[in-house]
Amino acid sequence: MTTGITYDNRMVEHKCLWDLNYNEKPERFTSILQRCEELQLLNRCIHVKPRAATKEELLMVHTPEMISILKNTAGFSDQEALEQLSSKYDFLYIHPSTYDLSLLAAGSTVELVSNILDGKIKNGMAVIRPPGHHAMKSEYCGYCFYNNVAIAAQYALDNQGLKRILIVDWDIHHGQATQQMFYDDPRVLYFSIHGYQNGAFWPHLRESDYHNIGRGAGLGYNINVPMNEIKMGNSDYMAIFHQLLLPIAYEFNPELVIVSAGYDAALGCPEGEMEVTPACYSHFTNSLMGLANGRLAVVLEGGYCLKSLAEGAALTLRTLLGDPVPLIQNLDAPKKSAQQAIMSVMYVLRRYWNCLQHLEEFNVQEIKDPMNLPEDKFWPRIEFVGSDEKPETYATRDICPAQDPKVAAELDAQLDALIAGTCLDVQPNRVGFAANPAEPIVTQLEIIQRCHMIQTEPSQTSLAEEMSGMFRNLISSILDGACRSGIAIMENSSENLIQTLKYAIDSRGTKNMMFIDMRSHPDCKIQRSFQEDVRILCASLYSALPLDDVEFVGLTDSKRYIVNMDLQPNCGDAEIFSSFFRVLLPIAYQFGPQLIVIATDPSGTMSAECFGQIVHLLTSLAGGRLSVTFENPLVTNSSLRRIQCCVQALLGEPIDMPGEIHHRLSATSVCSIRTVIKARNPYWNALQFNMQVPNVNVLVPPFMNEEKVLRYNPELLHS
């Protein structure tokens, strides 16, 4: 099992004959393949043979008339007639090859998904055009003719019997057509992050706002995160992933994930004017690869800056292939408008998803003057400044945004610097393993044989000294680049951990290291040893060094680097996931560790699958440099399963989903999470918007007439 890719060189034929400046052009396709070839990615993939979609497949989501209109243009040479037909649709051009290539794009997407579901490949990418997520049931729109992703999803529902599909649309334009097709279907969770600007951004639709959450049985399964300003970047998008997308996705537990992968939110794109770096798309991809047993299909949509498009798409494919996720730097607080968008989505979805129960109850107050609201309060705004008018014809020439040459040159130089500074090294050994060769677990887990065994010189004193040296050698192999990650099994792990962490900091010059204590009964030795060292961030899931410890008096900076979740040892997987998504992952991304060390034990109620998923999520950080220490594991089914899941995660293999991630969070755990957010908020900007939650007044304007700019539907906003 490996990664598949599908494309067809004929796709370069589709182009606008009357406007050579159209952004949706053949170079989008060729630039991606050229960059993938430069990085030697294509020859590592299984090539999924492209094919045309059948009429039956198109009819699953489109009308017969929509099929026949485009079919009649096949091979048509009258350019004037083609332009006139194109003018009936918003942002569209039709070429004599468009019908055949639209069939090819849709059919190739179905074929990719079919190969994933049949187990022929683990995951894959469709580099196709024309794109599809704006193609509605009976109308072409926005460069799109047939909805490639929707057709593939419907195929999986109808022909493969799937019951839960997650569609993630990170294209800068709202995929309104995909939303419409599954709006009342709870089997498909549609999640879109898109530019909106209160309706001023194309496609200028009311239904692109956050309060459109589905209909009937589909209520809660349509999620829009509208971005109401430009220059949104990595911090804003990662906050959306951590606070909304990943918690909800893990609770939904999809059987398949399909990405409408537009790269027009990337730095340099003239249409989006956003600032997501190409490397950030690797983080998006890796975080989704833990879902659906690894069954992930990435399907190309938009992206109109050729350099950022090619780099973002290539790094996405590289991540699907299992290469290390590049570092992204300087994450900070999400912008205020992103905070507002996240909180607004939480507000309307809170009653549909248990993972949002960490929010406190909103105190709803009606005010008399909805046009003069305090700016320092969170309240759910529904504002639309677009137009509901639909013209009979649309412009067909000179309609694509053009960048100022000076701005374009500056962005191009910035992209060059980012690309040159992105480390794409791949370590020769993916996982190192350090343990006493006589350890029974070593002989009982076959998967360990696929790891690189760490050796050390026999100790003249004791086995404990020998194991300490072996653990140090494991850390050295990770820091030296011989191994990407590692696993150690040892006794007396606290003393060994302290010595090895000091070695990594003092002897190897590691500037930022994160230690996560996931033992169910941690001691305080490690945190006390490093409480004044700002080079190491110590976190604990369960109780450890108290925040009001007398030794902390006056140590403001040190307080920042101690993060204790204070969960109960008997808490479940849902609480563990919530702690990571709400607190530990945002802090870790802002801290930017060069190395992560985890300590765990076989006890506690966290499932092996949950542990494996957490390890996988952490591989996005530190370039995958991650070490896991198992303390005194007895040979039990539980301990064997936990080590098995950990090795699978580090090897990049699919991991089963935990069975208990859907339940409502316990009141004790919710209180702990809120307390930690409040205590750590002054030190970590990544948690800043969470402080809008406690004791907030949600100012709800009274019902207003449709003629007013500010619009409010009281049935959609709940206290």
Side-chain angles (χ1 to χ4, degrees):
M1 294 175 61
T2 184
T3 296
I5 189 167
T6 184
Y7 62 89
D8 193 302
N9 290 325
R10 288 175 291 173
M11 291 175 178
V12 298
E13 298 173 14
H14 175 65
K15 60 184 177 182
C16 184
L17 296 173
W18 49 85
D19 185 354
L20 299 181
N21 293 320
Y22 228 92
N23 281 342
E24 210 298 284
K25 54 190 176 182
E27 289 81 0
R28 297 181 60 247
F29 176 81
T30 54
S31 66
I32 293 173
L33 295 181
Q34 180 180 347
R35 184 55 176 156
C36 289
E37 190 67 50
E38 289 173 356
L39 296 179
Q40 300 181 356
L41 303 178
L42 299 181
N43 58 2
R44 296 170 55 192
C45 298
I46 289 180
H47 286 252
V48 177
K49 187 176 181 180
R51 69 164 176 87
T54 66
K55 184 177 181 180
E56 291 72 24
E57 288 168 343
L58 297 181
L59 287 173
M60 290 189 297
V61 301
H62 295 298
T63 62
E65 293 76 17
M66 189 174 176
I67 299 171
S68 63
I69 290 173
L70 193 60
K71 183 177 181 179
N72 291 334
T73 68
F76 197 58
S77 59
D78 189 336
Q79 180 175 314
E80 184 177 346
L82 289 173
E83 183 173 6
Q84 184 177 3
L85 177 60
S86 300
S87 70
K88 296 181 179 180
Y89 304 100
D90 194 3
F91 266 95
L92 202 80
Y93 67 82
I94 300 174
H95 183 272
S97 68
T98 299
Y99 173 68
D100 291 332
L101 297 179
S102 295
L103 293 180
L104 196 58
S108 299
T109 305
V110 173
E111 194 67 14
L112 179 72
V113 167
S114 176
N115 274 259
I116 291 173
L117 296 178
D118 290 342
K120 296 177 182 177
I121 54 176
K122 178 172 63 175
N123 55 42
M125 188 171 190
V127 183
I128 55 169
R129 56 186 295 269
H133 69 149
H134 299 305
M136 293 171 276
K137 184 178 181 64
S138 58
E139 185 176 350
Y140 318 123
C141 180
Y143 312 150
C144 302
F145 299 90
Y146 300 130
N147 196 317
N148 308 311
V149 164
I151 293 169
Q154 195 65 53
Y155 164 84
L157 295 172
D158 294 347
N159 296 80
Q160 298 275 8
L162 267 61
K163 298 178 181 178
R164 296 182 309 279
I165 298 175
L166 169 64
I167 298 177
V168 177
D169 191 335
W170 67 50
D171 189 281
I172 193 61
H173 302 100
H174 182 224
Q176 84 284 13
T178 310
Q179 168 174 301
Q180 292 166 11
M181 290 172 179
F182 300 109
Y183 201 61
D184 56 2
D185 192 339
R187 298 175 299 172
V188 176
L189 173 61
Y190 177 71
F191 192 106
S192 177
I193 310 169
H194 52 265
Y196 188 56
Q197 298 175 31
N198 298 314
F201 190 76
W202 194 91
H204 313 294
L205 299 173
R206 296 181 191 276
E207 63 243 46
S208 303
D209 210 349
Y210 71 89
H211 63 285
N212 295 276
I213 60 172
R215 179 177 53 234
L219 272 173
Y221 293 93
N222 189 87
I223 302 173
N224 291 324
V225 186
M227 304 292 235
N228 287 319
E229 65 175 300
I230 59 173
K231 298 187 180 300
M232 298 289 200
N234 295 349
S235 298
D236 306 294
Y237 274 75
M238 292 311 302
I240 293 167
F241 266 71
H242 291 152
Q243 301 297 330
L244 284 174
L245 175 53
L246 292 176
I248 292 173
Y250 269 82
E251 183 174 336
F252 181 63
N253 190 14
E255 299 166 295
L256 170 69
V257 181
I258 308 177
V259 177
S260 275
Y263 295 89
D264 37 9
L267 181 71
C269 186
E271 293 212 6
E273 297 184 271
M274 297 297 189
E275 297 181 346
V276 177
T277 65
C280 199
Y281 289 101
S282 291
H283 291 257
F284 299 166
T285 305
N286 193 64
S287 64
L288 295 174
M289 287 170 67
L291 297 160
N293 210 21
R295 293 187 289 193
L296 172 62
V298 178
V299 183
L300 180 64
E301 298 285 1
Y304 308 99
C305 169
L306 297 182
K307 186 169 291 186
S308 62
L309 164 66
E311 193 69 14
L315 294 184
T316 298
L317 180 59
R318 186 176 179 273
T319 303
L320 292 174
L321 284 162
D323 288 353
V325 177
L327 298 174
I328 52 175
Q329 304 292 341
N330 303 321
L331 289 195
D332 210 332
K335 291 184 175 63
K336 185 176 180 180
S337 63
Q339 298 171 24
Q340 289 277 358
I342 291 170
M343 291 299 299
S344 297
V345 175
M346 287 180 173
Y347 183 50
V348 293
L349 289 178
R350 187 177 186 275
R351 66 173 182 163
Y352 300 101
W353 298 98
N354 287 329
C355 61
L356 300 180
Q357 298 309 309
H358 73 291
L359 297 172
E360 293 193 15
E361 294 291 339
F362 288 107
N363 177 20
V364 180
Q365 295 181 348
E366 184 175 296
I367 61 171
K368 295 181 179 180
D369 185 6
M371 302 302 291
N372 187 26
L373 295 169
E375 289 296 326
D376 60 340
K377 298 288 187 181
F378 162 72
W379 62 286
R381 304 169 187 263
I382 300 177
E383 187 173 353
F384 185 73
V385 297
S387 173
D388 294 322
E389 294 183 6
K390 185 178 169 95
E392 293 185 5
T393 60
Y394 297 86
T396 57
R397 300 176 185 235
D398 302 320
I399 57 177
C400 294
Q403 283 178 320
D404 178 271
K406 183 178 179 180
V407 172
E410 292 173 352
L411 292 172
D412 191 65
Q414 194 173 346
L415 279 169
D416 284 339
L418 283 170
I419 293 169
T422 300
C423 178
L424 299 180
D425 294 344
V426 179
Q427 299 81 358
N429 301 295
R430 183 144 184 171
V431 183
F433 195 89
N436 181 356
E439 176 70 51
I441 285 180
V442 177
T443 60
Q444 294 196 29
L445 281 176
E446 183 179 348
I447 196 171
I448 290 176
Q449 306 308 314
R450 297 169 55 193
C451 301
H452 175 69
M453 305 306 292
I454 302 297
Q455 306 295 330
T456 188
E457 294 296 325
S459 173
Q460 302 298 318
T461 55
S462 68
L463 179 62
E465 286 292 326
E466 184 175 333
M467 291 307 303
S468 178
M470 191 175 293
F471 184 34
R472 183 175 297 186
N473 285 354
L474 174 65
I475 296 297
S476 290
S477 70
I478 295 173
L479 294 175
D480 291 339
C483 294
R484 186 189 311 179
S485 60
I487 295 175
I489 298 176
M490 63 178 57
E491 299 179 359
N492 192 23
S493 62
S494 286
E495 293 300 328
N496 283 328
L497 281 165
I498 291 172
Q499 294 177 19
T500 305
L501 293 175
K502 286 182 176 179
Y503 164 76
I505 291 174
D506 296 332
S507 301
R508 299 303 304 270
T510 306
K511 296 180 180 179
N512 282 27
M513 182 187 303
M514 185 174 187
F515 171 69
I516 307 175
D517 199 334
M518 297 176 69
R519 296 174 294 181
S520 53
H521 299 287
D523 56 42
C524 298
K525 292 180 182 178
I526 297 175
Q527 290 192 3
R528 288 186 187 279
S529 298
F530 298 102
Q531 65 181 13
E532 296 185 49
D533 196 331
V534 297
R535 295 171 297 178
I536 183 166
L537 172 63
C538 293
S540 175
L541 280 183
Y542 308 104
S543 59
L545 194 62
L547 293 174
D548 57 352
D549 190 284
V550 65
E551 296 184 37
F552 272 135
V553 175
L555 299 178
T556 304
D557 287 340
S558 298
K559 259 185 157 179
R560 169 181 178 142
Y561 297 98
I562 303 291
V563 182
N564 294 327
M565 296 307 305
D566 200 26
L567 299 176
Q568 298 300 307
N570 62 349
C571 73
D573 293 346
E575 285 79 8
I576 302 296
F577 278 115
S578 187
S579 297
F580 271 89
F581 291 138
R582 307 296 177 200
V583 181
L584 295 180
L585 280 176
I587 288 178
Y589 265 91
Q590 185 173 349
F591 180 63
Q594 297 173 312
L595 174 69
I596 299 175
V597 177
I598 299 173
T600 188
D601 56 25
S603 56
T605 55
M606 183 197 318
S607 71
E609 292 78 12
C610 175
F611 182 73
Q613 291 286 347
I614 293 299
V615 170
H616 167 76
L617 288 166
L618 289 169
T619 60
S620 291
L621 292 148
R625 291 184 289 273
L626 176 69
S627 174
V628 183
T629 300
F630 289 88
E631 181 182 72
N632 302 322
L634 301 174
V635 183
T636 64
N637 289 336
S638 174
S639 61
L640 290 173
R641 180 62 182 154
R642 183 170 292 199
I643 296 174
Q644 171 91 17
C645 287
C646 180
V647 177
Q648 285 179 250
L650 295 178
L651 286 173
E653 295 187 352
I655 308 166
D656 292 337
M657 289 293 286
E660 298 296 328
I661 56 174
H662 311 292
H663 67 263
R664 192 179 182 91
L665 302 182
S666 69
T668 303
S669 297
V670 169
C671 183
S672 295
I673 293 170
R674 291 174 181 168
T675 300
V676 173
I677 290 173
K678 185 175 182 179
R680 290 289 157 258
N681 175 264
Y683 310 113
W684 298 101
N685 289 337
L687 303 180
Q688 181 173 340
F689 72 98
N690 281 297
M691 286 304 292
Q692 298 185 56
V693 178
N695 304 319
V696 71
N697 290 333
V698 181
L699 307 175
V700 180
F703 181 75
M704 301 190 68
N705 294 328
E706 282 296 307
E707 288 74 18
K708 297 292 182 69
V709 173
L710 188 67
R711 309 188 193 283
Y712 162 63
N713 184 344
E715 296 180 358
L716 293 174
L717 303 180
H718 307 278
S719 63

